[in-house]
Amino acid sequence: MKNYTSFLRKRTIPGLSLSPPDPESHPPHLARTSESGKPSMTGDERVAVQASHSRRFKKRKRVKLKRSRGKRREHAIVSPLVKKYWLQRYQLFSKYDEGVKLDEEGWYSVTPEEIAISHAERCRGRTVIDCFAGVGGNAIQFAILCHHVVAIDIDPQKIALAFHNAKVYGVADRIDFVVGDFFQLAPSLKGDIAYLSPPWGGPSYKMIQQFNLDLLKPKDGKDPQIEENYVDGNFKGITAYFSDVASRQA
């Protein structure tokens, strides 16, 4: 019996294994049983079982910690100002997880993808000038549905992000990216439709008692068709269509 106990200890403690011994070398009648007839374990065997469970628990805990730390790092790159927009990231870009990039202003300025698609439907088959392209939300959808797109922004970083995001969507070759002031470039531009979505000031608009178009300083226009834009039942903005685009339905 002493030899058998020694054998079990060698098998269980170093490798934390409770596999029964080979029945050919250790006949079944040598197995220890309790008074109830069920196999019993020595103190060393119980220690081995507890150690095995403890190591598995610690391993699971380490995996969970790594995952939670990953999430914390992902949240850490988003400032408190744009946290709520980060939670809506898939509404902004359905391919966000494929490498889409935004700067802080881009988070609260980009047009939600569903609305950008609606805008592009109105312009299908045309050459569109995106006058304030930002990080490319509208330009990408125009490129998918329209003939060609010219994307303009005065901020070089915005144009770099727009180009990168257009590559993620596979349409960068259908867009001409231009760094410049649209109002200075306008006389030399040629296209069918000019799309204007100027910077709107961000979340601070809530501090303004009366928000009107004078804050955006748009150019004059007449006979617009006004469209309210919603995503998942939430009001997101207003689009004004001018000229023949106003009569086209998405």
Side-chain angles (χ1 to χ4, degrees):
M1 197 67 181
K2 290 183 179 179
N3 292 336
Y4 176 63
T5 303
S6 176
F7 174 82
L8 265 182
R9 288 177 180 174
K10 291 179 182 178
R11 294 273 291 177
T12 59
I13 296 174
L16 298 177
S17 172
L18 293 179
S19 302
D22 186 348
E24 293 184 0
S25 58
H26 296 274
H29 69 273
L30 290 179
R32 295 184 303 279
T33 58
S34 63
E35 294 180 359
S36 62
K38 297 181 180 180
S40 62
M41 292 188 296
T42 67
D44 289 333
E45 292 170 0
R46 283 192 292 271
V47 170
V49 172
Q50 292 173 356
S52 176
H53 289 174
S54 177
R55 290 187 181 183
R56 282 197 290 266
F57 173 76
K58 289 180 180 179
K59 185 176 180 181
R60 288 196 299 268
K61 190 174 181 180
R62 283 196 295 270
V63 170
K64 289 180 180 179
L65 282 174
K66 287 180 181 178
R67 290 175 180 171
S68 63
R69 285 171 185 165
K71 291 180 180 178
R72 283 200 295 270
R73 283 195 295 269
E74 193 170 28
H75 282 286
I77 65 174
V78 179
S79 71
L81 177 65
V82 299
K83 182 177 180 180
K84 78 169 187 176
Y85 300 99
W86 184 86
L87 296 174
Q88 302 169 20
R89 59 196 180 281
Y90 300 116
Q91 293 181 355
L92 304 181
F93 288 98
S94 61
K95 293 188 177 183
Y96 177 82
D97 287 342
E98 297 181 32
V100 168
K101 296 180 180 180
L102 303 89
D103 60 1
E104 183 172 271
E105 185 180 23
W107 279 104
Y108 58 74
S109 297
V110 68
T111 303
E113 190 167 284
E114 182 180 330
I115 297 174
I117 292 173
S118 176
H119 292 163
E121 286 284 358
R122 294 267 193 154
C123 308
R124 182 185 289 271
R126 308 283 194 91
T127 295
V128 180
I129 300 172
D130 188 349
C131 308
F132 306 93
V135 297
N138 282 101
I140 289 170
Q141 299 306 322
F142 286 138
I144 292 173
L145 295 175
C146 301
H147 175 67
H148 193 70
V149 182
V150 178
I152 302 171
D153 202 282
I154 199 169
D155 184 351
Q157 182 184 11
K158 293 287 196 302
I159 289 296
L161 291 170
F163 176 70
H164 170 84
N165 295 335
K167 288 197 296 182
V168 171
Y169 278 76
V171 294
D173 60 332
R174 303 185 62 183
I175 306 173
D176 288 330
F177 295 92
V178 180
V179 176
D181 184 339
F182 164 71
F183 294 112
Q184 293 182 4
L185 296 172
S188 62
L189 297 172
K190 292 184 179 181
D192 300 314
I193 296 171
Y195 175 79
L196 294 89
S197 179
W200 57 283
S204 60
Y205 79 92
K206 292 182 179 180
M207 307 296 291
I208 302 173
Q209 293 183 352
Q210 184 177 3
F211 189 84
N212 54 48
L213 293 180
D214 290 336
L215 296 174
L216 299 179
K217 298 181 180 180
K219 294 298 181 181
D220 294 334
K222 62 178 181 179
D223 301 325
Q225 179 185 4
I226 304 300
E227 176 185 85
E228 294 184 345
N229 305 127
Y230 294 84
V231 175
D232 291 340
N234 298 312
F235 178 65
K236 292 293 185 179
I238 295 175
T239 304
Y241 297 97
F242 295 89
S243 188
D244 65 321
V245 181
S247 61
R248 301 183 71 177
Q249 298 297 317

